[in-house]
Amino acid sequence: LENDLPLKCFQCFALVDNATSEVISEMFSYVFQLQEALSPPVVKYVNTRAKELAEALSVVLRANNMSLHTSAIFRNTIMHECVYRECLCEDLRIIKHLIAHCVETQNPHSFGILEMILMRDRNAVSALLQENDNAPMFFQKYVRLFECKDYHLLARIVRILADMLLDKQNLYVSKMFIGEGEYLLLVLRLLLIPDKIVNLEAFHVLKVFVANPEMKNEVAHTLMSNSEGLILYIKELLRDDEQDDVTLAERDLIIRVLFGLKAGQ
């Protein structure tokens, strides 16, 4: 730690191949295992180097070098609160790099880190998205993840979005998403993907659009135009014998709203 080895390991990741990164990862793990990740010396080191470590994470992402070994180091480092806070920088730099890396590579390790950052402290993420109009830019980046061809990963991507939109403390942020007709169209496309888990997660995003009492005209028109097909689809997706009472109650509410929209055509 006195020789700044963890940070030097990070900085090398952007310059080496996977075989070398594995060696560097083992060195990093060795240092932390000797000291123990939450021992006073490591905590002190990370606290003094939090900003540099977070910036090093960003450099690794820009270098498109996210392997299992890199991911392990990310997790070991971000578990420290001070580094995590640096990852939530005002310009969303690290989050944007992670999303871009996930879109380009569909790398599950990258997404695992993104998931960890977004879900670890929802209050902090919510506050960040409300700053400086960050939410619109974040959603523009995040919906690009819907292009993922790995359906297991795609289901996780959609589930995180649903969790964010359904969180009461994210009401202000949620309105920015569900007010956009283009995002509704993307969610409707997710319902057509031949994977039921993805479809179920997409329903939980769709219900936020449908249940919005301040629905914008573009969104209302799209739902109205597709109401008949959506009602049939939702009944088939969420059958009585396959869902719990809460989900069935949500299903029935959404269907009633869609019927109301259809009647208002």
Side-chain angles (χ1 to χ4, degrees):
L1 293 178
E2 293 178 359
N3 294 320
D4 216 8
L5 184 58
L7 180 59
K8 290 175 181 176
C9 287
F10 259 134
Q11 292 168 335
C12 288
F13 266 111
L15 307 172
V16 300
D17 57 23
N18 283 337
T20 309
S21 72
E22 181 176 358
V23 175
I24 295 174
S25 176
E26 290 175 355
M27 291 173 58
F28 184 95
S29 298
Y30 177 71
V31 171
F32 268 47
Q33 284 170 4
L34 279 179
Q35 302 286 343
E36 296 185 5
L38 294 178
S39 69
V42 172
V43 172
K44 180 180 179 181
Y45 171 80
V46 172
N47 283 339
T48 59
R49 284 304 218 172
K51 191 174 185 65
E52 291 86 352
L53 287 167
E55 181 56 36
L57 297 179
S58 182
V59 171
V60 170
L61 288 168
R62 291 198 298 273
N64 202 23
N65 187 358
M66 178 62 79
S67 64
L68 176 62
H69 316 296
T70 323
S71 174
I73 289 185
F74 263 59
R75 290 179 182 278
N76 285 337
T77 308
I78 294 175
M79 71 186 231
H80 292 272
E81 184 69 15
C82 56
V83 180
Y84 176 71
R85 295 296 167 185
E86 290 291 342
C87 288
L88 298 180
C89 53
E90 291 181 4
D91 61 359
L92 302 182
R93 182 173 63 256
I94 290 178
I95 291 175
K96 287 190 291 186
H97 288 325
L98 274 167
I99 292 175
H101 193 273
C102 291
V103 170
E104 183 177 347
T105 67
Q106 298 190 23
N107 186 319
H109 304 305
S110 296
F111 181 73
I113 299 299
L114 177 63
E115 184 176 32
M116 180 179 177
I117 290 175
L118 293 178
M119 303 308 289
R120 172 172 164 174
D121 186 339
R122 298 188 188 187
N123 288 331
V125 172
S126 178
L128 177 64
L129 293 181
Q130 293 181 49
E131 293 177 2
N132 305 320
D133 293 324
N134 279 332
M137 182 269 291
F138 169 78
F139 287 132
Q140 287 172 8
K141 301 289 185 183
Y142 194 85
V143 294
R144 293 190 59 208
L145 293 171
F146 292 174
E147 302 167 13
C148 180
K149 304 302 181 185
D150 180 333
Y151 292 156
H152 175 71
L153 192 56
L154 180 57
R156 290 169 61 194
I157 289 166
V158 182
R159 184 184 310 125
I160 286 179
L161 177 62
D163 287 346
M164 293 179 70
L165 297 178
L166 290 165
D167 194 329
K168 292 181 179 179
Q169 67 190 5
N170 277 337
L171 182 60
Y172 173 79
V173 172
S174 296
K175 286 181 177 180
M176 294 185 183
F177 186 85
I178 62 177
E180 296 293 333
E182 63 178 303
Y183 293 152
L184 173 59
L185 292 175
L186 292 176
V187 173
L188 293 179
R189 288 174 194 159
L190 291 173
L191 296 175
L192 299 177
I193 286 176
D195 185 274
K196 189 166 184 179
I197 303 300
V198 173
N199 302 153
L200 288 169
E201 299 299 345
F203 167 77
H204 292 300
V205 178
L206 174 66
K207 71 188 182 187
V208 187
F209 281 94
V210 178
N212 179 17
E214 301 173 0
M215 195 181 299
K216 291 189 176 180
N217 290 339
E218 183 182 3
V219 171
H221 177 73
T222 299
L223 290 173
M224 190 183 303
S225 301
N226 294 276
S227 57
E228 186 172 352
L230 280 171
I231 290 169
L232 293 174
Y233 178 91
I234 292 171
K235 286 181 176 179
E236 178 63 24
L237 178 67
L238 303 172
R239 296 183 177 181
D240 289 351
D241 58 344
E242 296 177 353
Q243 304 298 326
D244 58 44
D245 292 342
V246 173
T247 302
L248 292 176
E250 291 176 340
R251 177 201 67 183
D252 293 343
L253 173 61
I254 297 308
I255 288 175
R256 284 198 300 273
V257 174
L258 290 171
F259 265 122
L261 289 171
K262 180 182 176 184
Q265 282 182 308

